[in-house]
């Protein structure tokens, strides 16, 4: 068992504490969080249920719920959790057909969509929680200062999207630090890529240029 999903999302602090105490990685119940969050001592990842599909849903309801989950994924920068309630499931039901259509569309976009079990998502989120980023902006100098806190080893690269202000098209890294580069993302937009930063606090300045 990797985690739990309680009926109607009725979790609370006591439930989360109990789940963490038995080694669970993920709680799929809390519905008041827009993005995954860590509970308590950081062992348990809470995944908000963005959409729910049950065996009694019509084909229209299934398509609507999964479409809403995809919309929230784009809005939140890549995350959505769709809960599937299999109680009362029957073959060739609207739920099955709706899921088949959803999986087929996701398969067609597999280069840009990661579909994974909740436990894998929780592990991914916990690893990236080791990096915290805060920022301050100097408009007069078009200078962005980032404060980066790393609490442990970075098993994967992390990227920070950079959005140039009006009139600026490029970014220059003002500080030299191993494991930090400005690179274009898949759409050609600049991003700050962090790889292998040592534990501790780091300050980086980026200047936006015409």
């Amino acid at each position: 068992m990797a985690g739990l999903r309680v009926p109607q999302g009725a979790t609370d602090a006591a439930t989360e504490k109990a789940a963490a105490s038995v080694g669970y990685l993920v709680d799929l119940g809390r519905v008041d969080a827009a993005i995954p969050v860590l509970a308590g001592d950081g062992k348990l990842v809470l995944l908000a249920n963005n959409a729910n599909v049950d065996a009694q849903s019509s084909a229209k309801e299934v398509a609507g719920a999964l479409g809403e989950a995809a919309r929230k994924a784009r809005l939140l920068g890549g995350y959505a959790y769709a809960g599937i309630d299999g109680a009362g499931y029957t073959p060739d039901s609207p739920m099955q057909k709706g899921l088949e259509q959803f999986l087929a569309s996701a398969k067609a976009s597999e280069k840009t969509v990661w579909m994974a079990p909740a436990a894998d998502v929780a592990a991914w989120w916990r690893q990236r929680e080791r990096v915290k980023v805060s920022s301050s902006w100097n408009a007069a100098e078009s200078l962005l200062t980032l404060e980066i806190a790393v609490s442990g080893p970075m098993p994967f690269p992390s990227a920070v999207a950079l959005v140039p202000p009006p009139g600026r098209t490029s970014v220059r890294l003002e500080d030299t630090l191993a494991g930090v580069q400005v690179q274009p993302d898949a759409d050609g937009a600049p991003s700050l890529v962090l790889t292998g930063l040592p534990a501790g606090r780091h300050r980086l300045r980026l200047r936006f240029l015409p």
Side-chain angles (χ1 to χ4, degrees), residues 6-174:
V6 298
Q8 306 302 318
T11 56
D12 54 22
T15 303
E16 293 157 10
K17 183 177 180 180
S21 70
V22 295
Y24 282 1
L25 298 177
V26 58
D27 179 349
L28 304 178
R30 185 180 291 194
V31 296
D32 60 352
I35 61 174
V37 296
L38 293 178
D41 57 8
K43 293 182 179 179
L44 188 71
V45 179
L46 307 179
L47 299 182
N49 188 356
N50 297 142
N52 190 67
V53 176
D54 61 41
Q56 286 71 48
S57 298
S58 66
K60 183 177 180 180
E61 289 171 335
V62 172
L66 296 176
E68 178 65 8
R71 186 191 70 80
K72 288 185 177 180
R74 293 190 294 270
L75 178 65
L76 298 174
Y79 165 79
Y81 168 71
I84 306 298
D85 187 350
Y89 166 79
T90 57
D92 299 321
S93 64
M95 183 175 76
Q96 177 179 328
K97 294 176 181 177
L99 287 175
E100 288 174 350
Q101 292 174 357
F102 175 73
L103 293 173
S105 66
K107 180 67 174 178
S109 305
E110 63 181 352
K111 291 184 178 180
T112 57
V113 175
W114 178 43
M115 300 186 67
D120 290 352
V121 175
W124 183 94
W125 195 265
R126 290 168 71 191
Q127 290 162 343
R128 281 154 181 80
E129 275 288 310
R130 297 173 184 174
V131 180
K132 302 286 188 181
V133 179
S134 59
S135 65
S136 61
W137 171 246
N138 184 325
E141 298 184 15
S142 293
L143 188 70
L144 177 67
T145 300
L146 299 179
E147 300 286 348
I148 303 172
V150 182
S151 61
M154 294 179 61
F156 301 103
S158 296
V160 179
L162 302 172
V163 181
R168 301 288 190 255
T169 59
S170 62
V171 183
R172 184 177 70 207
L173 188 59
E174 299 286 88

